[in-house]
């Protein structure tokens, strides 16, 4: 039987465990809690009632930034992240922002290309990882 998949808006606090486990397991849990979380929108994908993929969206100055996109390790490569990102992009289109962007881990650029995001010339390193700013401009 097909697995039941639900996309929904969630609370910031529901993202923290997956953020921690998947992205920064060696840091204390507080490292993944953002001051901005209160002002953000948070989206999750549930499989059979279990949260497996999460992403957060922050709107500022008419632009939307998504951050902390993660899928539980054992559930990666099954298309869940793509489903969630498609859902996020649909939500972004409704917001009337001029641009959506992210600090992409350098090894994830091809993945984001599929969603219309392009690499900018802005690159940086943080916490031992290389990042590139990727963006998609939206016309209204
Ligand atoms: C980035 C991340 C959120 C993607 O989530 P995901 O659920 O694995 O995403 P998908 O399954 O949709 O896609 C992952 C890969 O599987 C492939 N894939 C998608 N559906 C698939 C399927 N049904 N069968 C096989 N492969 C599939 C995709 O093409 C993609 O390939 P790529 O990595 O070579 O581009 C996840 O890898 C993750 O949590 N990584 C660690 C944290 C991180 O790097 N976050 C992003 C920071 S920018």
């Amino acid at each position: 039987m097909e697995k039941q998949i639900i996309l929904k808006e969630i609370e910031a606090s529901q993202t923290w465990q997956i953020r921690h486990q998947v992205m920064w397991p060696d840091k204390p849990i507080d490292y993944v809690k953002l001051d901005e979380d209160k002002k953000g929108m948070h989206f999750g994908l549930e499989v059979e009632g279990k949260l497996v993929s999460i992403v957060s969206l922050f709107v500022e100055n008419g632009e939307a930034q998504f951050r902390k996109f993660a899928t539980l390790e054992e559930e990666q490569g099954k298309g869940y992240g793509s489903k969630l990102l498609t859902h996020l992009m649909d939500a972004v289109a409704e917001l009337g922002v001029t641009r959506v962007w992210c600090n992409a881990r350098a090894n994830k650029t091809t993945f984001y290309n599929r969603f219309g995001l392009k690499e900018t010339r802005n690159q940086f390193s943080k916490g031992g990882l290389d990042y590139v700013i990727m963006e998609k401009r939206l016309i209204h």
Side-chain angles (χ1 to χ4, degrees), residues 18 22-23 52-54 66 68-73 75-84 102-108 110-112 114-115 131:
I18 295 181
V22 178
M23 306 187 92
V52 307
S53 189
I54 48 132
F66 67 88
K68 309 285 182 222
F69 176 36
T71 299
L72 286 177
E73 211 144 30
E75 302 289 351
Q76 290 178 10
K78 298 180 182 177
Y80 297 142
S82 300
K83 272 203 172 66
L84 184 59
C102 72
N103 292 327
R105 289 189 180 186
N107 61 348
K108 281 291 154 206
T110 1
F111 178 81
Y112 291 126
R114 287 185 213 125
F115 301 89
Y131 294 85

Side-chain angles (χ1 to χ4, degrees), residues 93-126:
E94 302 282 308
L95 295 173
V97 294
T98 54
R99 184 170 92 117
V100 54
W101 65 283
C102 72
N103 292 327
R105 289 189 180 186
N107 61 348
K108 281 291 154 206
T109 53
T110 1
F111 178 81
Y112 291 126
N113 285 153
R114 287 185 213 125
F115 301 89
L117 292 153
K118 303 240 162 65
E119 294 168 64
T120 68
R121 266 173 275 169
N122 286 316
Q123 302 182 2
F124 60 95
S125 298
K126 195 183 145 204

Side-chain angles (χ1 to χ4, degrees), residues 62-64 92 97-101 120 133 135-138:
E63 301 187 341
V92 166
V97 294
T98 54
R99 184 170 92 117
V100 54
W101 65 283
T120 68
I133 295 185
E135 65 174 16
K136 180 180 176 182
R137 301 215 170 245
L138 305 165

